Amino acid sequence: MDLTDFDFSLRWPQELFTWEARRIAALRTKETFTNMVVCLFSEAFMDGDIAEQLGVPVTRNVFDQQPRGSEAADVLNALLKDQSLLHKYEPPRYWLERKGGASAVTRQKPLSKAFVELIDEMRDLDYFPKVLGKGCVDDGGSWGEFTRNASAEISKAIHADVTWPLDESTLSVPDDVLYAVIEYLHDQAQRPRTRSLHSYGGCGWHYADHNKESGGVVYRWRVNELLERYGVGLRLGSKGSEKGRLIRHAGLQLDELADELSETSAHPDERLIADAIHLYRARSSTTVQRRAAITQLANYLEKHRQTFKSREFTKGDESDLFNIFNNFAIRHGKGVQKGEYGDEFLDWIFWTSLGAIKLLKGLSQRKV
């Protein structure tokens, strides 16, 4: 098969596609392997012909032809070996967006409405089989039954009355309720890895082999992209106790630094750093709690201050860092510190502290 005949423009981020593709490649001995590859390609690539040309659709009729396994495996292997074949998807930017008017139009649509539309897209792919199942014409079920069940399940889980879909038209959904639903559906998300076509009554695709870890990764990407577009200042965390929970969002590179430093070992110092990061980034954290988190980081740095006094620094330069903690009313309450600054200064000090900890770790590991 000549791969140059295909447009491997991704609908997914490249790192997400590669991550899932490698996980599926490790399952090549399973009977459903080819189906997994075809299902992945149909979801991750803009060009639906890629999945179609790897084999005819799998149907519920056991006598129907199955996809051609060798071709699917060959294409998957080729893409993993040479990722230059993959192309980042660039959505078309039409007149309104190019002229700078799209953001105002976007804001006219409530976040709750945009979120419901996103969940409907993922539901069509059967990402929520337990709470938002698609149903089948053979079962005689209706979408109304599913929504009533979903409303009851969501309300019970988040301890608030919710009618699904959310009432996006009146803007009456409190932010806290919306955010709770976002976190709840993260825990329900499962990516289906195989599918079969049920043509009777126009029923459509049936999905199986759901994977919770893959579902969570795709869900976080989709929802975080939406939150970023709306400038909410929150994102779903991806590691440890923050996984699937909304945390305060700074920016991609800074968030990655915090994620890295929040991965702990059994060492008490590592636990201290992680606890401070979790406290600071919690969506519900108060100014007092964020100051306490910074104090915890400052105390860690003070404990290891001698490392900064190594030959890597000019004499006394390390004191500039600690002046931030001591002069901005973070650690000491002597009444002479600068305490009239807003919360954005806390963000600056927090990220400066994490940067200093990253530097400290690098210096500690360097051979003298």
Side-chain angles (χ1 to χ4, degrees):
M1 179 178 289
D2 186 357
L3 297 185
T4 61
D5 291 339
F6 296 102
D7 177 13
F8 291 109
S9 292
L10 286 162
R11 182 183 282 116
W12 285 10
Q14 183 168 336
E15 60 274 16
L16 172 57
F17 171 79
T18 303
W19 177 80
E20 180 70 343
R22 285 175 176 158
R23 282 158 51 84
I24 289 174
L27 302 173
R28 65 180 67 253
T29 58
K30 293 178 67 72
E31 290 183 3
T32 56
F33 170 67
T34 298
N35 196 319
M36 290 183 184
V37 176
V38 173
C39 192
L40 173 65
F41 287 177
S42 68
E43 188 178 352
F45 289 122
M46 293 299 299
D47 185 1
D49 290 341
I50 297 174
E52 289 184 10
Q53 293 192 34
L54 286 174
V56 297
V58 180
T59 74
R60 299 176 80 189
N61 187 337
V62 296
F63 299 105
D64 286 329
Q65 180 185 354
Q66 299 296 304
R68 297 185 292 275
S70 60
E71 290 185 352
D74 289 345
V75 173
L76 184 68
N77 288 335
L79 293 176
L80 288 175
K81 289 179 180 178
D82 183 6
Q83 295 194 27
S84 66
L85 295 168
L86 299 170
H87 308 297
K88 178 183 177 182
Y89 170 62
E90 296 289 349
R93 298 177 69 249
Y94 295 112
W95 176 268
L96 189 62
E97 187 175 1
R98 295 200 311 273
K99 295 302 179 182
S103 59
V105 173
T106 299
R107 285 195 294 270
Q108 291 179 10
K109 180 190 294 185
L111 175 60
S112 58
K113 178 177 175 60
F115 175 67
V116 169
E117 291 174 352
L118 170 60
I119 296 305
D120 283 346
E121 288 180 26
M122 298 186 72
R123 175 190 163 270
D124 285 342
L125 296 172
D126 203 27
Y127 266 77
F128 309 101
K130 292 184 177 180
V131 70
L132 293 174
K134 290 187 62 178
C136 175
V137 295
D138 290 343
D139 300 332
S142 68
W143 175 230
E145 289 181 41
F146 281 115
T147 56
R148 283 193 294 273
N149 293 336
S151 298
E153 289 295 325
I154 296 173
S155 298
K156 180 180 178 181
I158 72 171
H159 304 292
D161 289 335
V162 171
T163 300
W164 186 267
L166 298 177
D167 184 9
E168 71 276 5
S169 61
T170 63
L171 299 181
S172 61
V173 182
D175 286 346
D176 285 342
V177 172
L178 175 61
Y179 295 155
V181 173
I182 288 175
E183 292 182 345
Y184 169 78
L185 287 179
H186 169 274
D187 292 348
Q188 301 300 316
Q190 302 179 49
R191 180 178 179 268
R193 285 178 164 175
T194 60
R195 63 180 188 173
S196 60
L197 184 63
H198 186 199
S199 58
Y200 178 74
C203 190
W205 290 105
H206 282 239
Y207 294 87
D209 292 313
H210 292 78
N211 185 273
K212 187 172 180 62
E213 185 174 7
S214 299
V217 172
V218 175
Y219 181 87
R220 290 194 294 273
W221 157 58
R222 296 294 304 272
V223 172
N224 285 343
E225 186 180 63
L226 177 66
L227 297 175
E228 182 74 20
R229 192 163 71 246
Y230 273 77
V232 173
L234 298 170
R235 74 175 179 94
L236 288 167
S238 60
K239 301 199 176 195
S241 62
E242 293 179 338
K243 182 183 288 187
R245 300 298 173 259
L246 288 166
I247 59 177
R248 298 172 71 246
H249 170 51
L252 182 59
Q253 291 185 337
L254 292 177
D255 286 330
E256 288 178 349
L257 171 61
D259 288 344
E260 175 189 340
L261 294 178
S262 66
E263 292 184 343
T264 63
S265 65
H267 195 282
D269 279 355
E270 300 295 318
R271 183 71 260 168
L272 183 147
I273 295 172
D275 288 345
I277 292 173
H278 294 161
L279 177 61
Y280 193 93
R281 295 204 297 182
R283 179 172 63 88
S284 59
S285 66
T286 65
T287 298
V288 172
Q289 289 173 321
R290 292 198 290 275
R291 286 181 181 275
I294 294 175
T295 298
Q296 200 160 309
L297 297 177
N299 290 340
Y300 171 87
L301 288 167
E302 183 73 57
K303 180 179 178 180
H304 298 276
R305 187 168 183 169
Q306 189 60 40
T307 303
F308 286 105
K309 294 182 179 182
S310 68
R311 57 187 177 87
E312 308 292 339
F313 283 81
T314 303
K315 183 178 181 180
D317 280 356
E318 90 289 344
S319 63
D320 291 338
L321 172 63
F322 292 91
N323 283 337
I324 295 175
F325 305 125
N326 297 332
N327 293 332
F328 280 85
I330 297 298
R331 294 200 298 170
H332 306 303
K334 297 179 180 178
V336 296
Q337 289 86 6
K338 306 174 179 66
E340 68 276 13
Y341 295 98
D343 284 358
E344 62 272 15
F345 280 83
L346 289 181
D347 287 340
W348 166 61
I349 298 172
F350 175 74
W351 295 111
T352 299
S353 302
L354 293 191
I357 291 173
K358 175 72 172 177
L359 173 62
L360 176 65
K361 288 177 175 293
L363 293 176
S364 301
Q365 295 169 1
R366 182 180 300 177
K367 293 181 180 180
V368 179

